[in-house]
Amino acid sequence: DSGTTDTYWNRAISTAFQTAFQQMAGRAHSNTAVSLTEAELLALPTILFQLYADPGANPDMDPQKGLGLAGYLDPAHPADVMLAFPPSHYMEYDADTGKYTSRFYATESGGSVLGANAMMGHDILFDSDNDRIG
């Protein structure tokens, strides 16, 4: 949703996400404002979204050679799109307080929303005639 600033994911991932974030970042993920140095911000993990791709949609493309595709990372789903969401996109800085707030929420009761912050730095095609994005 390019009109939504933040990214919201289904809460079914919350426990696994919190565990993985804690292991990778050495701190819990929180949507409460925190003070971070630039080094601490850059040390936060990049969140990767693996988005289902119809394997027949691009039959002439080699998913092992395509940039941004799962390829060798997931041999069962090599054509899936890997969307990188670095901390510089999900952590919002407030100049008034000097603190950062995570704008990634694993709180949705149904579905998920990739907000504008997850789309930054990516070329996104909205094909509404065929109900797909790329």
Side-chain angles (χ1 to χ4, degrees):
D1 182 353
S2 60
T4 300
T5 305
D6 299 341
T7 293
Y8 302 87
W9 216 250
N10 189 289
R11 67 176 167 229
I13 71 155
S14 184
T15 300
F17 174 76
Q18 284 291 355
T19 299
F21 194 92
Q22 176 73 41
Q23 289 173 346
M24 296 175 80
R27 64 171 67 219
H29 176 266
S30 172
N31 298 105
T32 302
V34 295
S35 295
L36 297 171
T37 65
E38 184 175 352
E40 289 171 325
L41 173 69
L42 296 175
L44 293 174
T46 293
I47 300 168
L48 293 177
F49 298 111
Q50 183 170 345
L51 306 175
Y52 169 78
D54 178 354
N58 296 301
D60 298 328
M61 183 180 63
D62 182 352
Q64 307 303 341
K65 296 179 181 174
L67 293 176
L69 301 180
Y72 294 111
L73 295 173
D74 187 354
H77 305 96
D80 284 1
V81 174
M82 301 302 291
L83 181 70
F85 192 28
S88 59
H89 293 188
Y90 66 82
M91 295 299 289
E92 181 178 72
Y93 182 71
D94 183 339
D96 292 335
T97 64
K99 294 184 177 186
Y100 290 89
T101 303
S102 175
R103 297 301 183 193
F104 173 74
Y105 303 88
T107 57
E108 290 298 291
S109 59
S112 299
V113 177
L114 289 174
N117 62 350
M119 291 185 249
M120 290 190 313
H122 301 282
D123 293 322
I124 309 292
L125 170 69
F126 293 92
D127 183 356
S128 56
D129 292 338
N130 295 301
D131 292 327
R132 62 186 187 171
I133 63 170

